[in-house]
Amino acid sequence: MTGGTRQPIQRIAVTMPAHDEEQHIGRALAALGTALDTLEREHPGMPATVTVVLDSCADSSAGITAAHVAADPRFTAVSVQLRSAGACRDYGIRTALLPHPAEATGSLWLANTDADSVVPPNWLVRQVGLANAGADVVLGSVEPDAYDVDPAVLRRWLELHPFRENHQHIYGANLGIRASAYLAAGGFPHLRAHEDRRLVERTRHQGFRVAATDSIRVLTSGRTEARAPEGFAAYLLALGAEVPAATGS
């Protein structure tokens, strides 16, 4: 059922998959900590947790995460051998859902990001506000980090992805969903790429309310070494191949 009054959000569970992200994960974890602190100031006493899903990591990602978990009890980490963005996201969410009874899923918010991404301080507060205003899904915007992306590619990307409210884009690095809607839609499919699009398509098909906003823009890695086929890095790589033809000589 998708009609009727939505329950106010009472708790938040964040999931962040990671596969060999030693260069980025420390910054990503710190940004999440700041977002949790902001949430605590705006909504005192609202429980919020972060589950880091370490997938087949062979670098220092696990050690960096372990140090962060030891310093902040709001964070936990699990290690898996899935090699799938969709399976990792779903595993992390299902793990976070275990302590919650079915009747509580309407008031539980699931926020999703990536280990190569930096969320803004208002990331969780704004999602709670949109959810309490009636959204079942919140689609945030993403900006490639200018530090590690070619300027010409970045300009082209910005032309194709203008920052505005009610945008049409879907990014797993910046996606929130009510737990009841997540379960009704079958969760993230266990795909290596496009699991975010598939989930949102299902929620829309079932009539859940989707809100898209640029008010919680996430900064994400502009690398072009693809970790997933047809993922964000692969898209930037393909876009780079188009830039000479697009700019001309």
Side-chain angles (χ1 to χ4, degrees):
M1 183 184 71
T2 59
T5 303
R6 269 62 178 173
Q7 296 180 44
I9 298 303
Q10 297 181 5
R11 58 197 314 124
I12 294 177
V14 181
T15 298
M16 186 178 77
H19 171 62
D20 290 347
E21 292 289 358
E22 63 182 5
Q23 294 183 356
H24 303 99
I25 196 168
R27 190 179 175 197
L29 291 169
L32 283 173
T34 299
L36 290 171
D37 293 340
T38 304
L39 178 73
E40 175 61 25
R41 288 194 297 271
E42 296 294 325
H43 298 279
M46 178 178 288
T49 60
V50 177
T51 302
V52 182
V53 184
L54 299 159
D55 187 11
S56 310
C57 291
D59 65 355
S60 299
S61 295
I64 295 169
T65 302
H68 201 93
V69 169
D72 191 334
R74 299 173 298 184
F75 288 75
T76 60
V78 293
S79 295
V80 297
Q81 299 288 326
L82 298 172
R83 294 191 176 275
S84 164
C88 276
R89 295 191 199 281
D90 186 58
Y91 186 92
I93 287 173
R94 303 284 177 175
T95 299
L97 284 172
L98 287 177
H100 305 290
E103 59 270 20
T105 58
S107 61
L108 172 64
W109 189 255
L110 307 172
N112 299 271
T113 189
D114 286 337
D116 67 342
S117 302
V118 177
V119 305
N122 72 329
W123 190 60
L124 295 173
V125 171
R126 178 62 173 149
Q127 289 185 62
V128 169
L130 290 168
N132 287 341
D136 297 305
V137 182
V138 172
L139 307 178
S141 53
V142 159
E143 180 177 8
D145 191 341
Y147 179 79
D148 53 11
V149 64
D150 183 271
V153 174
L154 181 59
R155 285 194 299 272
R156 182 58 177 157
W157 191 91
L158 293 173
E159 290 174 1
L160 297 173
H161 303 79
F163 297 128
R164 61 190 179 199
E165 295 299 286
N166 302 315
H167 60 79
Q168 300 299 311
H169 307 295
I170 301 170
Y171 307 103
N174 196 357
L175 189 156
I177 182 169
R178 197 178 297 271
S180 52
Y182 182 83
L183 294 171
F188 280 111
H190 293 192
L191 304 174
R192 294 188 65 192
H194 304 315
E195 75 287 347
D196 43 8
R197 296 185 195 176
R198 192 74 60 84
L199 173 63
V200 175
E201 287 171 358
R202 289 174 178 172
T203 60
R204 283 176 166 153
H205 180 72
Q206 294 185 24
F208 288 104
R209 300 174 187 173
V210 179
T213 181
D214 182 46
S215 60
I216 50 171
R217 191 185 309 169
V218 163
L219 184 69
T220 196
S221 167
R223 67 179 174 217
T224 54
E225 296 83 13
R227 302 297 178 88
E230 302 178 38
F232 190 75
Y235 175 75
L236 287 179
L237 181 62
L239 201 62
E242 297 175 4
V243 168
T247 57
S249 58

